[in-house]
Amino acid sequence: MKKRIVIALGGNALGDNLEEQMTAAKITAGAIVDLVEAGHEIAIVHGNGPQVGMILTAFETAAKANSKFPVLPISVCVALSQGYIGYDLQNTIRMELDKRGMKQQVAAIISQVEVDPNDKAFQNPTKPIGGFMSKEEADALKAQGVSVMEDAGRGWRQVVASPKPQHIVEAGIIKGMLAAGQIPIAAGGGGIPVAMKDGQYHGMPAVIDKDFSAAKLAQLIEADMLIILTAVEKVAINFNKPDQQWLDTLTLAEAEKLIAENHFAKGSMLPKMEAAMAFVKSSSAKAGREPPSALITLLTKARDGVAGKTGTKIVANL
Ligand code: ADP
Ligand code: MG
């Protein structure tokens, strides 16, 4: 059955430099065009954790060396990351479509996402950005007033505020593209965080979790499925422990219980589970369609996942 699907691509899956990103984007394009070829309507949301950290650091370093260079607000760094990741993705997807003789059009939309300026996330930074550091490097940054956090056993990273997305400013345009059979790349890096003040959008110092923005987009465009593609094929309980167990299908109630038991790491799997649940909760079943569901799996398993063969699926009820 033809589905409308929002795909959330992990920022870490896009590599750490331009070359790695290009290679990763090609693999990604293959997986996405497989789904388009199968007849599904696809909107793509990508992460930007490593990339936005790199952009921020580059401008900070430049500003230290030469006062003519500005220290860019994080919102502008997110906008830059949307541009350069979107540029690679739209070109690799277009090439893949061409190769298969498909006529669909693809484009990245510079997307703004409204956040609540009173969101308590602004007082409590939790979103890892930039590269991984040793404990010593992290301690040195901390001494300079930068927030740092250990990221799921993989090393230390800088963290920034990550408020929840309230609305996607360009949602109507994205929906229009899908209706026209086009492939939008939208809300990249979680979207440029903005808040309305005096009738105008202003950038906010945050990086919105792309998994939550993808869930919000899936809700707004009435998607059948939210697929979160990341570095693991399935979600596990007792992750990385001897009694680790991979999960297949979870109801909202079961997922809720596992969250309460602390099975999912903050800043990595927890936001994915919460985003998956938020989409399933916020969407209602439509006549003649499968009930809305969310799937967490590996990029290379997207097609098998949609076919129900792998991944961890979250549904309202069994
Ligand atoms: P992305 O870049 O795709 O957003 P993240 O690194 O933020 O990826 O999150 C995915 C990572 O979450 C996995 O690679 C894994 O190391 C980690 N993780 C934490 N808890 C779990 C869990 N319970 N099950 C599976 N993976 C988990
Ligand atoms: Mg992540």
Side-chain angles (χ1 to χ4, degrees):
M1 197 193 286
K2 181 185 151 186
K3 292 190 175 85
R4 178 172 283 191
I5 302 172
V6 171
I7 293 190
L9 289 173
N12 293 314
L14 287 167
D16 274 337
N17 55 52
L18 282 176
E19 222 169 289
E20 276 180 33
Q21 178 172 306
M22 187 47 111
T23 312
K26 278 186 188 151
I27 298 169
T28 304
I32 287 167
V33 175
D34 280 350
L35 295 178
V36 177
E37 199 168 26
H40 303 300
E41 286 178 5
I42 306 291
I44 302 154
V45 176
H46 60 79
N48 73 346
Q51 296 82 358
V52 78
M54 180 186 78
I55 292 167
L56 195 64
T57 309
F59 277 93
E60 278 169 3
T61 309
K64 269 182 212 148
N66 184 336
S67 58
K68 270 198 235 156
F69 287 105
V71 173
L72 293 187
I74 298 181
S75 52
V76 177
C77 295
V78 174
L80 290 176
S81 77
Q82 282 188 356
Y84 108 92
I85 299 170
Y87 161 58
D88 264 1
L89 279 177
Q90 71 185 25
N91 278 327
T92 47
I93 292 171
R94 180 182 297 127
M95 267 160 46
E96 188 66 32
L97 289 164
D98 278 353
K99 209 167 84 185
R100 302 190 197 188
M102 295 165 66
K103 300 277 174 252
Q104 282 86 348
Q105 293 193 302
V106 55
I109 304 295
I110 299 295
S111 317
Q112 304 175 88
V113 174
E114 266 190 272
V115 297
D116 178 355
N118 298 315
D119 194 310
K120 58 184 189 311
F122 284 106
Q123 268 74 57
N124 177 31
T126 56
K127 169 83 184 156
I129 61 166
F132 292 94
M133 295 175 277
S134 66
K135 171 107 175 51
E136 292 66 38
E137 290 170 306
D139 284 343
L141 265 190
K142 202 172 171 182
Q144 296 171 31
V146 176
S147 300
V148 291
M149 196 176 89
E150 210 286 321
D151 185 359
R154 296 174 295 182
W156 288 73
R157 292 173 89 182
Q158 181 181 347
V159 285
V160 295
S162 192
K164 290 286 185 307
Q166 304 297 331
H167 187 67
I168 296 174
V169 179
E170 291 79 11
I173 295 169
I174 298 161
K175 209 170 172 177
M177 284 182 72
L178 285 168
Q182 298 166 342
I183 307 166
I185 301 164
I192 304 162
V194 295
M196 183 64 89
K197 202 180 148 210
D198 304 326
Q200 241 187 316
Y201 286 121
H202 292 267
M204 298 294 287
V207 175
I208 305 167
D209 197 292
K210 62 105 184 22
D211 298 313
F212 284 114
S213 296
K216 176 57 78 179
L217 181 65
Q219 178 200 340
L220 292 174
I221 67 168
E222 297 172 76
D224 301 299
M225 210 173 176
L226 167 67
I227 305 184
I228 300 177
L229 297 177
T230 185
V232 284
E233 184 167 342
K234 292 185 185 186
V235 180
I237 49 172
N238 305 314
F239 183 63
N240 270 346
K241 293 187 191 143
D243 53 348
Q244 168 175 299
Q245 219 181 316
W246 299 113
L247 303 166
D248 294 320
T249 304
L250 289 175
T251 62
L252 288 174
E254 287 167 339
E256 208 99 55
K257 181 166 170 281
L258 297 178
I259 287 179
E261 293 169 5
N262 285 321
H263 284 288
F264 314 121
K266 267 186 196 167
S268 61
M269 193 47 76
L270 181 61
K272 292 183 199 308
M273 284 301 295
E274 289 176 339
M277 292 165 69
F279 167 63
V280 173
K281 259 185 220 164
S282 68
S283 321
S284 41
K286 290 161 209 82
R289 307 186 80 103
E290 267 176 38
S293 65
L295 183 81
I296 300 174
T297 193
L298 271 179
L299 173 67
T300 49
K301 299 285 177 182
R303 195 188 200 163
D304 286 349
V306 174
K309 290 182 198 159
T310 189
T312 301
K313 192 175 180 181
I314 292 97
V315 293
N317 311 293
L318 286 182

